[in-house]
mmCIF file of all heavy atoms in Angstrom:
data_model
loop_
_atom_site.group_PDB
_atom_site.id
_atom_site.type_symbol
_atom_site.label_atom_id
_atom_site.label_comp_id
_atom_site.label_asym_id
_atom_site.label_seq_id
_atom_site.Cartn_x
_atom_site.Cartn_y
_atom_site.Cartn_z
ATOM 1 N N TRP M 183 -3.046 2.558 24.377
ATOM 2 C CA TRP M 183 -2.390 1.558 23.543
ATOM 3 C C TRP M 183 -3.033 1.449 22.169
ATOM 4 O O TRP M 183 -2.379 1.037 21.201
ATOM 5 C CB TRP M 183 -2.418 0.195 24.234
ATOM 6 C CG TRP M 183 -3.802 -0.371 24.442
ATOM 7 C CD1 TRP M 183 -4.563 -0.234 25.558
ATOM 8 C CD2 TRP M 183 -4.557 -1.164 23.525
ATOM 9 N NE1 TRP M 183 -5.768 -0.891 25.399
ATOM 10 C CE2 TRP M 183 -5.792 -1.473 24.152
ATOM 11 C CE3 TRP M 183 -4.328 -1.636 22.245
ATOM 12 C CZ2 TRP M 183 -6.777 -2.219 23.534
ATOM 13 C CZ3 TRP M 183 -5.318 -2.396 21.617
ATOM 14 C CH2 TRP M 183 -6.523 -2.678 22.278
ATOM 15 N N MET M 184 -4.301 1.853 22.055
ATOM 16 C CA MET M 184 -4.969 1.783 20.758
ATOM 17 C C MET M 184 -4.337 2.729 19.747
ATOM 18 O O MET M 184 -4.256 2.427 18.556
ATOM 19 C CB MET M 184 -6.452 2.097 20.912
ATOM 20 C CG MET M 184 -7.226 1.075 21.709
ATOM 21 S SD MET M 184 -8.975 1.508 21.840
ATOM 22 C CE MET M 184 -9.584 0.136 22.819
ATOM 23 N N GLY M 185 -3.885 3.896 20.224
ATOM 24 C CA GLY M 185 -3.239 4.830 19.316
ATOM 25 C C GLY M 185 -1.957 4.278 18.727
ATOM 26 O O GLY M 185 -1.676 4.459 17.538
ATOM 27 N N ARG M 186 -1.182 3.584 19.545
ATOM 28 C CA ARG M 186 0.058 2.988 19.049
ATOM 29 C C ARG M 186 -0.229 1.879 18.035
ATOM 30 O O ARG M 186 0.473 1.756 17.024
ATOM 31 C CB ARG M 186 0.878 2.450 20.212
ATOM 32 C CG ARG M 186 1.390 3.535 21.156
ATOM 33 C CD ARG M 186 2.377 2.981 22.158
ATOM 34 N NE ARG M 186 1.742 2.045 23.084
ATOM 35 C CZ ARG M 186 1.159 2.396 24.217
ATOM 36 N NH1 ARG M 186 1.107 3.681 24.566
ATOM 37 N NH2 ARG M 186 0.628 1.502 25.016
ATOM 38 N N VAL M 187 -1.253 1.075 18.309
ATOM 39 C CA VAL M 187 -1.593 -0.008 17.375
ATOM 40 C C VAL M 187 -2.136 0.568 16.071
ATOM 41 O O VAL M 187 -1.808 0.090 14.979
ATOM 42 C CB VAL M 187 -2.615 -0.962 18.029
ATOM 43 C CG1 VAL M 187 -3.117 -1.979 17.016
ATOM 44 C CG2 VAL M 187 -1.994 -1.667 19.222
ATOM 45 N N ARG M 188 -2.963 1.607 16.161
ATOM 46 C CA ARG M 188 -3.521 2.187 14.944
ATOM 47 C C ARG M 188 -2.426 2.786 14.057
ATOM 48 O O ARG M 188 -2.528 2.768 12.820
ATOM 49 C CB ARG M 188 -4.544 3.271 15.292
ATOM 50 C CG ARG M 188 -5.551 3.550 14.161
ATOM 51 C CD ARG M 188 -5.988 4.983 14.132
ATOM 52 N NE ARG M 188 -4.928 5.871 13.702
ATOM 53 C CZ ARG M 188 -4.597 6.072 12.417
ATOM 54 N NH1 ARG M 188 -5.226 5.430 11.462
ATOM 55 N NH2 ARG M 188 -3.618 6.903 12.098
ATOM 56 N N ASN M 189 -1.359 3.285 14.657
ATOM 57 C CA ASN M 189 -0.268 3.867 13.878
ATOM 58 C C ASN M 189 0.519 2.825 13.094
ATOM 59 O O ASN M 189 1.303 3.187 12.206
ATOM 60 C CB ASN M 189 0.682 4.641 14.796
ATOM 61 C CG ASN M 189 0.080 5.955 15.262
ATOM 62 O OD1 ASN M 189 -0.851 6.476 14.640
ATOM 63 N ND2 ASN M 189 0.599 6.495 16.348
ATOM 64 N N TRP M 190 0.323 1.550 13.404
ATOM 65 C CA TRP M 190 1.007 0.512 12.630
ATOM 66 C C TRP M 190 0.678 0.634 11.141
ATOM 67 O O TRP M 190 1.537 0.401 10.292
ATOM 68 C CB TRP M 190 0.609 -0.876 13.126
ATOM 69 C CG TRP M 190 1.137 -1.233 14.475
ATOM 70 C CD1 TRP M 190 2.041 -0.529 15.228
ATOM 71 C CD2 TRP M 190 0.791 -2.387 15.245
ATOM 72 N NE1 TRP M 190 2.285 -1.171 16.413
ATOM 73 C CE2 TRP M 190 1.521 -2.313 16.457
ATOM 74 C CE3 TRP M 190 -0.062 -3.458 15.047
ATOM 75 C CZ2 TRP M 190 1.426 -3.296 17.451
ATOM 76 C CZ3 TRP M 190 -0.171 -4.442 16.028
ATOM 77 C CH2 TRP M 190 0.572 -4.347 17.206
ATOM 78 N N ILE M 191 -0.570 0.938 10.830
ATOM 79 C CA ILE M 191 -0.974 0.983 9.428
ATOM 80 C C ILE M 191 -0.283 2.121 8.693
ATOM 81 O O ILE M 191 -0.036 2.036 7.490
ATOM 82 C CB ILE M 191 -2.518 1.080 9.301
ATOM 83 C CG1 ILE M 191 -2.952 0.655 7.892
ATOM 84 C CG2 ILE M 191 -3.020 2.478 9.646
ATOM 85 C CD1 ILE M 191 -4.448 0.473 7.749
ATOM 86 N N GLU M 192 0.067 3.199 9.395
ATOM 87 C CA GLU M 192 0.806 4.281 8.768
ATOM 88 C C GLU M 192 2.212 3.804 8.375
ATOM 89 O O GLU M 192 2.746 4.206 7.331
ATOM 90 C CB GLU M 192 0.905 5.480 9.718
ATOM 91 C CG GLU M 192 -0.429 6.027 10.192
ATOM 92 C CD GLU M 192 -1.246 6.643 9.060
ATOM 93 O OE1 GLU M 192 -0.660 6.906 7.979
ATOM 94 O OE2 GLU M 192 -2.455 6.850 9.258
ATOM 95 N N THR M 193 2.810 2.952 9.200
ATOM 96 C CA THR M 193 4.110 2.373 8.855
ATOM 97 C C THR M 193 4.005 1.506 7.621
ATOM 98 O O THR M 193 4.873 1.535 6.737
ATOM 99 C CB THR M 193 4.652 1.546 10.032
ATOM 100 O OG1 THR M 193 4.735 2.368 11.192
ATOM 101 C CG2 THR M 193 6.027 0.976 9.722
ATOM 102 N N ARG M 194 2.941 0.704 7.532
ATOM 103 C CA ARG M 194 2.751 -0.144 6.354
ATOM 104 C C ARG M 194 2.554 0.699 5.102
ATOM 105 O O ARG M 194 3.049 0.368 4.026
ATOM 106 C CB ARG M 194 1.544 -1.075 6.536
ATOM 107 C CG ARG M 194 1.407 -1.842 7.810
ATOM 108 C CD ARG M 194 2.565 -2.606 8.335
ATOM 109 N NE ARG M 194 3.555 -3.105 7.398
ATOM 110 C CZ ARG M 194 4.831 -3.212 7.697
ATOM 111 N NH1 ARG M 194 5.267 -2.824 8.867
ATOM 112 N NH2 ARG M 194 5.685 -3.693 6.826
ATOM 113 N N PHE M 195 1.800 1.802 5.215
ATOM 114 C CA PHE M 195 1.630 2.703 4.080
ATOM 115 C C PHE M 195 2.972 3.281 3.639
ATOM 116 O O PHE M 195 3.239 3.423 2.441
ATOM 117 C CB PHE M 195 0.672 3.843 4.441
ATOM 118 C CG PHE M 195 -0.777 3.442 4.497
ATOM 119 C CD1 PHE M 195 -1.697 4.223 5.175
ATOM 120 C CD2 PHE M 195 -1.230 2.300 3.875
ATOM 121 C CE1 PHE M 195 -3.041 3.872 5.226
ATOM 122 C CE2 PHE M 195 -2.570 1.922 3.921
ATOM 123 C CZ PHE M 195 -3.467 2.716 4.601
ATOM 124 N N SER M 196 3.799 3.633 4.610
ATOM 125 C CA SER M 196 5.114 4.188 4.285
ATOM 126 C C SER M 196 5.951 3.204 3.488
ATOM 127 O O SER M 196 6.637 3.574 2.530
ATOM 128 C CB SER M 196 5.841 4.585 5.570
ATOM 129 O OG SER M 196 7.131 5.075 5.295
ATOM 130 N N VAL M 197 5.895 1.930 3.866
ATOM 131 C CA VAL M 197 6.632 0.902 3.131
ATOM 132 C C VAL M 197 6.107 0.794 1.700
ATOM 133 O O VAL M 197 6.888 0.725 0.736
ATOM 134 C CB VAL M 197 6.523 -0.457 3.851
ATOM 135 C CG1 VAL M 197 7.047 -1.593 2.979
ATOM 136 C CG2 VAL M 197 7.290 -0.417 5.169
ATOM 137 N N MET M 198 4.794 0.783 1.524
ATOM 138 C CA MET M 198 4.222 0.627 0.193
ATOM 139 C C MET M 198 4.499 1.833 -0.691
ATOM 140 O O MET M 198 4.597 1.704 -1.911
ATOM 141 C CB MET M 198 2.717 0.366 0.298
ATOM 142 C CG MET M 198 2.378 -0.997 0.863
ATOM 143 S SD MET M 198 0.668 -1.489 0.608
ATOM 144 C CE MET M 198 -0.174 -0.340 1.685
ATOM 145 N N VAL M 199 4.620 3.020 -0.099
ATOM 146 C CA VAL M 199 4.898 4.215 -0.886
ATOM 147 C C VAL M 199 6.374 4.315 -1.217
ATOM 148 O O VAL M 199 6.768 4.467 -2.376
ATOM 149 C CB VAL M 199 4.414 5.475 -0.135
ATOM 150 C CG1 VAL M 199 4.970 6.734 -0.784
ATOM 151 C CG2 VAL M 199 2.895 5.533 -0.124
ATOM 152 N N ARG M 200 7.240 4.210 -0.207
ATOM 153 C CA ARG M 200 8.665 4.436 -0.422
ATOM 154 C C ARG M 200 9.343 3.290 -1.158
ATOM 155 O O ARG M 200 10.278 3.507 -1.945
ATOM 156 C CB ARG M 200 9.377 4.662 0.909
ATOM 157 C CG ARG M 200 8.980 5.955 1.613
ATOM 158 C CD ARG M 200 9.899 6.216 2.795
ATOM 159 N NE ARG M 200 9.816 5.144 3.769
ATOM 160 C CZ ARG M 200 10.715 4.952 4.734
ATOM 161 N NH1 ARG M 200 11.773 5.733 4.803
ATOM 162 N NH2 ARG M 200 10.563 3.980 5.600
ATOM 163 N N SER M 201 8.909 2.067 -0.930
ATOM 164 C CA SER M 201 9.609 0.915 -1.492
ATOM 165 C C SER M 201 8.845 0.227 -2.618
ATOM 166 O O SER M 201 9.455 -0.342 -3.515
ATOM 167 C CB SER M 201 9.894 -0.117 -0.396
ATOM 168 O OG SER M 201 10.786 0.409 0.540
ATOM 169 N N LEU M 202 7.528 0.245 -2.569
ATOM 170 C CA LEU M 202 6.745 -0.545 -3.512
ATOM 171 C C LEU M 202 6.063 0.286 -4.584
ATOM 172 O O LEU M 202 5.350 -0.258 -5.421
ATOM 173 C CB LEU M 202 5.706 -1.378 -2.753
ATOM 174 C CG LEU M 202 6.240 -2.204 -1.582
ATOM 175 C CD1 LEU M 202 5.154 -3.079 -0.992
ATOM 176 C CD2 LEU M 202 7.429 -3.050 -2.010
ATOM 177 N N GLY M 203 6.233 1.591 -4.556
ATOM 178 C CA GLY M 203 5.744 2.420 -5.652
ATOM 179 C C GLY M 203 4.261 2.679 -5.678
ATOM 180 O O GLY M 203 3.704 2.947 -6.749
ATOM 181 N N LEU M 204 3.582 2.647 -4.537
ATOM 182 C CA LEU M 204 2.141 2.894 -4.528
ATOM 183 C C LEU M 204 1.807 4.316 -4.968
ATOM 184 O O LEU M 204 0.731 4.570 -5.488
ATOM 185 C CB LEU M 204 1.589 2.639 -3.122
ATOM 186 C CG LEU M 204 0.074 2.754 -2.948
ATOM 187 C CD1 LEU M 204 -0.656 1.698 -3.779
ATOM 188 C CD2 LEU M 204 -0.327 2.638 -1.483
ATOM 189 N N HIS M 205 2.738 5.253 -4.784
ATOM 190 C CA HIS M 205 2.484 6.657 -5.102
ATOM 191 C C HIS M 205 2.725 6.992 -6.573
ATOM 192 O O HIS M 205 2.439 8.104 -7.007
ATOM 193 C CB HIS M 205 3.381 7.550 -4.248
ATOM 194 C CG HIS M 205 4.843 7.383 -4.534
ATOM 195 N ND1 HIS M 205 5.479 6.165 -4.399
ATOM 196 C CD2 HIS M 205 5.781 8.256 -4.980
ATOM 197 C CE1 HIS M 205 6.753 6.309 -4.728
ATOM 198 N NE2 HIS M 205 6.956 7.558 -5.083
ATOM 199 N N ARG M 206 3.280 6.064 -7.340
ATOM 200 C CA ARG M 206 3.614 6.392 -8.729
ATOM 201 C C ARG M 206 3.157 5.284 -9.685
ATOM 202 O O ARG M 206 3.893 4.859 -10.575
ATOM 203 C CB ARG M 206 5.118 6.645 -8.866
ATOM 204 C CG ARG M 206 6.006 5.523 -8.362
ATOM 205 C CD ARG M 206 7.486 5.868 -8.579
ATOM 206 N NE ARG M 206 8.352 4.799 -8.117
ATOM 207 C CZ ARG M 206 8.609 3.696 -8.798
ATOM 208 N NH1 ARG M 206 8.051 3.516 -9.971
ATOM 209 N NH2 ARG M 206 9.419 2.778 -8.308
ATOM 210 N N ILE M 207 1.953 4.836 -9.509
ATOM 211 C CA ILE M 207 1.371 3.856 -10.424
ATOM 212 C C ILE M 207 0.987 4.561 -11.719
ATOM 213 O O ILE M 207 0.288 5.582 -11.702
ATOM 214 C CB ILE M 207 0.146 3.178 -9.789
ATOM 215 C CG1 ILE M 207 0.564 2.348 -8.580
ATOM 216 C CG2 ILE M 207 -0.566 2.296 -10.806
ATOM 217 C CD1 ILE M 207 -0.593 1.673 -7.879
ATOM 218 N N GLU M 208 1.436 4.024 -12.844
ATOM 219 C CA GLU M 208 1.100 4.571 -14.155
ATOM 220 C C GLU M 208 0.354 3.503 -14.947
ATOM 221 O O GLU M 208 0.943 2.506 -15.364
ATOM 222 C CB GLU M 208 2.359 5.017 -14.894
ATOM 223 C CG GLU M 208 3.109 6.147 -14.190
ATOM 224 C CD GLU M 208 4.360 6.554 -14.935
ATOM 225 O OE1 GLU M 208 4.648 5.938 -15.987
ATOM 226 O OE2 GLU M 208 5.042 7.481 -14.475
ATOM 227 N N VAL M 209 -0.930 3.715 -15.140
ATOM 228 C CA VAL M 209 -1.763 2.733 -15.842
ATOM 229 C C VAL M 209 -2.677 3.468 -16.816
ATOM 230 O O VAL M 209 -2.917 4.677 -16.696
ATOM 231 C CB VAL M 209 -2.613 1.901 -14.854
ATOM 232 C CG1 VAL M 209 -1.739 1.011 -13.997
ATOM 233 C CG2 VAL M 209 -3.459 2.810 -13.972
ATOM 234 N N ARG M 210 -3.218 2.714 -17.766
ATOM 235 C CA ARG M 210 -4.135 3.277 -18.756
ATOM 236 C C ARG M 210 -5.535 2.691 -18.653
ATOM 237 O O ARG M 210 -6.423 3.090 -19.406
ATOM 238 C CB ARG M 210 -3.594 3.041 -20.167
ATOM 239 C CG ARG M 210 -2.270 3.743 -20.442
ATOM 240 C CD ARG M 210 -1.845 3.550 -21.875
ATOM 241 N NE ARG M 210 -0.578 4.240 -22.155
ATOM 242 C CZ ARG M 210 0.013 4.241 -23.350
ATOM 243 N NH1 ARG M 210 -0.537 3.574 -24.355
ATOM 244 N NH2 ARG M 210 1.143 4.890 -23.513
ATOM 245 N N SER M 211 -5.723 1.738 -17.761
ATOM 246 C CA SER M 211 -7.041 1.131 -17.607
ATOM 247 C C SER M 211 -7.309 0.876 -16.133
ATOM 248 O O SER M 211 -6.383 0.774 -15.322
ATOM 249 C CB SER M 211 -7.136 -0.186 -18.384
ATOM 250 O OG SER M 211 -6.303 -1.178 -17.800
ATOM 251 N N TYR M 212 -8.599 0.765 -15.795
ATOM 252 C CA TYR M 212 -8.973 0.528 -14.406
ATOM 253 C C TYR M 212 -8.476 -0.832 -13.930
ATOM 254 O O TYR M 212 -7.954 -0.953 -12.813
ATOM 255 C CB TYR M 212 -10.491 0.618 -14.260
ATOM 256 C CG TYR M 212 -10.971 0.251 -12.877
ATOM 257 C CD1 TYR M 212 -10.839 1.132 -11.812
ATOM 258 C CD2 TYR M 212 -11.540 -0.992 -12.626
ATOM 259 C CE1 TYR M 212 -11.257 0.796 -10.539
ATOM 260 C CE2 TYR M 212 -11.974 -1.342 -11.354
ATOM 261 C CZ TYR M 212 -11.831 -0.440 -10.320
ATOM 262 O OH TYR M 212 -12.250 -0.787 -9.056
ATOM 263 N N TRP M 213 -8.619 -1.860 -14.763
ATOM 264 C CA TRP M 213 -8.205 -3.194 -14.330
ATOM 265 C C TRP M 213 -6.689 -3.327 -14.275
ATOM 266 O O TRP M 213 -6.144 -4.127 -13.514
ATOM 267 C CB TRP M 213 -8.811 -4.253 -15.239
ATOM 268 C CG TRP M 213 -10.286 -4.334 -15.070
ATOM 269 C CD1 TRP M 213 -11.242 -3.986 -15.974
ATOM 270 C CD2 TRP M 213 -10.983 -4.749 -13.887
ATOM 271 N NE1 TRP M 213 -12.492 -4.160 -15.438
ATOM 272 C CE2 TRP M 213 -12.366 -4.630 -14.160
ATOM 273 C CE3 TRP M 213 -10.591 -5.203 -12.631
ATOM 274 C CZ2 TRP M 213 -13.348 -4.950 -13.230
ATOM 275 C CZ3 TRP M 213 -11.564 -5.519 -11.694
ATOM 276 C CH2 TRP M 213 -12.918 -5.407 -12.000
ATOM 277 N N GLY M 214 -5.982 -2.511 -15.060
ATOM 278 C CA GLY M 214 -4.543 -2.442 -14.893
ATOM 279 C C GLY M 214 -4.163 -1.858 -13.542
ATOM 280 O O GLY M 214 -3.221 -2.314 -12.893
ATOM 281 N N LEU M 215 -4.934 -0.852 -13.094
ATOM 282 C CA LEU M 215 -4.726 -0.285 -11.761
ATOM 283 C C LEU M 215 -4.990 -1.322 -10.680
ATOM 284 O O LEU M 215 -4.210 -1.463 -9.732
ATOM 285 C CB LEU M 215 -5.643 0.917 -11.565
ATOM 286 C CG LEU M 215 -5.730 1.461 -10.138
ATOM 287 C CD1 LEU M 215 -4.461 2.205 -9.769
ATOM 288 C CD2 LEU M 215 -6.948 2.361 -9.964
ATOM 289 N N VAL M 216 -6.085 -2.063 -10.812
ATOM 290 C CA VAL M 216 -6.419 -3.090 -9.824
ATOM 291 C C VAL M 216 -5.306 -4.128 -9.743
ATOM 292 O O VAL M 216 -4.906 -4.550 -8.644
ATOM 293 C CB VAL M 216 -7.765 -3.750 -10.179
ATOM 294 C CG1 VAL M 216 -8.038 -4.952 -9.273
ATOM 295 C CG2 VAL M 216 -8.904 -2.741 -10.067
ATOM 296 N N ALA M 217 -4.777 -4.538 -10.901
ATOM 297 C CA ALA M 217 -3.701 -5.533 -10.904
ATOM 298 C C ALA M 217 -2.457 -5.008 -10.200
ATOM 299 O O ALA M 217 -1.821 -5.725 -9.417
ATOM 300 C CB ALA M 217 -3.378 -5.931 -12.345
ATOM 301 N N ARG M 218 -2.093 -3.738 -10.445
ATOM 302 C CA ARG M 218 -0.905 -3.180 -9.812
ATOM 303 C C ARG M 218 -1.085 -3.040 -8.302
ATOM 304 O O ARG M 218 -0.167 -3.305 -7.523
ATOM 305 C CB ARG M 218 -0.568 -1.822 -10.429
ATOM 306 C CG ARG M 218 -0.033 -1.899 -11.841
ATOM 307 C CD ARG M 218 1.320 -2.582 -11.896
ATOM 308 N NE ARG M 218 2.336 -1.813 -11.197
ATOM 309 C CZ ARG M 218 3.056 -0.844 -11.736
ATOM 310 N NH1 ARG M 218 2.874 -0.523 -13.007
ATOM 311 N NH2 ARG M 218 3.966 -0.205 -11.030
ATOM 312 N N VAL M 219 -2.266 -2.606 -7.871
ATOM 313 C CA VAL M 219 -2.519 -2.477 -6.430
ATOM 314 C C VAL M 219 -2.485 -3.846 -5.764
ATOM 315 O O VAL M 219 -1.892 -4.020 -4.689
ATOM 316 C CB VAL M 219 -3.862 -1.768 -6.181
ATOM 317 C CG1 VAL M 219 -4.232 -1.814 -4.700
ATOM 318 C CG2 VAL M 219 -3.790 -0.312 -6.651
ATOM 319 N N ASN M 220 -3.130 -4.839 -6.400
ATOM 320 C CA ASN M 220 -3.107 -6.191 -5.836
ATOM 321 C C ASN M 220 -1.688 -6.747 -5.771
ATOM 322 O O ASN M 220 -1.318 -7.441 -4.818
ATOM 323 C CB ASN M 220 -3.991 -7.116 -6.669
ATOM 324 C CG ASN M 220 -5.465 -6.810 -6.507
ATOM 325 O OD1 ASN M 220 -5.856 -6.038 -5.632
ATOM 326 N ND2 ASN M 220 -6.291 -7.392 -7.349
ATOM 327 N N LEU M 221 -0.867 -6.431 -6.781
ATOM 328 C CA LEU M 221 0.523 -6.873 -6.783
ATOM 329 C C LEU M 221 1.296 -6.240 -5.630
ATOM 330 O O LEU M 221 2.065 -6.913 -4.936
ATOM 331 C CB LEU M 221 1.173 -6.520 -8.121
ATOM 332 C CG LEU M 221 2.671 -6.809 -8.249
ATOM 333 C CD1 LEU M 221 2.957 -8.297 -8.089
ATOM 334 C CD2 LEU M 221 3.203 -6.295 -9.574
ATOM 335 N N ILE M 222 1.089 -4.953 -5.400
ATOM 336 C CA ILE M 222 1.785 -4.266 -4.307
ATOM 337 C C ILE M 222 1.373 -4.839 -2.960
ATOM 338 O O ILE M 222 2.213 -5.061 -2.076
ATOM 339 C CB ILE M 222 1.506 -2.753 -4.388
ATOM 340 C CG1 ILE M 222 2.226 -2.155 -5.599
ATOM 341 C CG2 ILE M 222 1.956 -2.050 -3.106
ATOM 342 C CD1 ILE M 222 1.885 -0.704 -5.857
ATOM 343 N N LEU M 223 0.086 -5.118 -2.777
ATOM 344 C CA LEU M 223 -0.376 -5.697 -1.519
ATOM 345 C C LEU M 223 0.175 -7.112 -1.332
ATOM 346 O O LEU M 223 0.518 -7.515 -0.210
ATOM 347 C CB LEU M 223 -1.898 -5.698 -1.478
ATOM 348 C CG LEU M 223 -2.542 -4.320 -1.328
ATOM 349 C CD1 LEU M 223 -4.028 -4.385 -1.630
ATOM 350 C CD2 LEU M 223 -2.316 -3.756 0.071
ATOM 351 N N LEU M 224 0.254 -7.871 -2.426
ATOM 352 C CA LEU M 224 0.841 -9.206 -2.349
ATOM 353 C C LEU M 224 2.304 -9.136 -1.922
ATOM 354 O O LEU M 224 2.744 -9.878 -1.036
ATOM 355 C CB LEU M 224 0.717 -9.907 -3.706
ATOM 356 C CG LEU M 224 1.551 -11.182 -3.899
ATOM 357 C CD1 LEU M 224 1.143 -12.249 -2.885
ATOM 358 C CD2 LEU M 224 1.425 -11.700 -5.321
ATOM 359 N N VAL M 225 3.062 -8.227 -2.544
ATOM 360 C CA VAL M 225 4.476 -8.105 -2.212
ATOM 361 C C VAL M 225 4.646 -7.636 -0.765
ATOM 362 O O VAL M 225 5.530 -8.114 -0.041
ATOM 363 C CB VAL M 225 5.173 -7.138 -3.190
ATOM 364 C CG1 VAL M 225 6.607 -6.879 -2.763
ATOM 365 C CG2 VAL M 225 5.147 -7.716 -4.594
ATOM 366 N N HIS M 226 3.797 -6.702 -0.337
ATOM 367 C CA HIS M 226 3.870 -6.259 1.053
ATOM 368 C C HIS M 226 3.659 -7.426 2.007
ATOM 369 O O HIS M 226 4.406 -7.611 2.968
ATOM 370 C CB HIS M 226 2.819 -5.186 1.320
ATOM 371 C CG HIS M 226 2.667 -4.854 2.766
ATOM 372 N ND1 HIS M 226 1.815 -5.557 3.597
ATOM 373 C CD2 HIS M 226 3.278 -3.940 3.554
ATOM 374 C CE1 HIS M 226 1.909 -5.074 4.827
ATOM 375 N NE2 HIS M 226 2.774 -4.100 4.822
ATOM 376 N N ASN M 227 2.617 -8.225 1.766
ATOM 377 C CA ASN M 227 2.353 -9.358 2.655
ATOM 378 C C ASN M 227 3.467 -10.395 2.582
ATOM 379 O O ASN M 227 3.782 -11.057 3.576
ATOM 380 C CB ASN M 227 1.012 -10.000 2.292
ATOM 381 C CG ASN M 227 -0.161 -9.179 2.780
ATOM 382 O OD1 ASN M 227 -0.001 -8.169 3.468
ATOM 383 N ND2 ASN M 227 -1.362 -9.600 2.434
#
């Protein structure tokens, strides 16, 4: 059962990539990157 539970996080990654744009972040500064990642995690939650 641990394998099935661990695979949940792969589903969450799929949502963040396909729907929330985690794979195509375009930023020019490190803190801009942090803001975009935090925004994506907020929207996911």
Side-chain angles (χ1 to χ4, degrees):
W183 64 266
M184 294 180 180
R186 294 189 294 272
V187 172
R188 202 212 70 81
N189 286 340
W190 290 352
I191 199 169
E192 303 294 345
T193 303
R194 312 311 332 147
F195 285 161
S196 178
V197 169
M198 290 195 291
V199 167
R200 293 190 299 164
S201 295
L202 309 185
L204 184 63
H205 65 301
R206 55 179 181 80
I207 295 179
E208 297 179 359
V209 293
R210 296 184 179 181
S211 68
Y212 174 76
W213 292 112
L215 169 74
V216 172
R218 289 294 295 273
V219 172
N220 290 349
L221 175 62
I222 290 173
L223 289 166
L224 167 61
V225 174
H226 170 273
N227 284 355

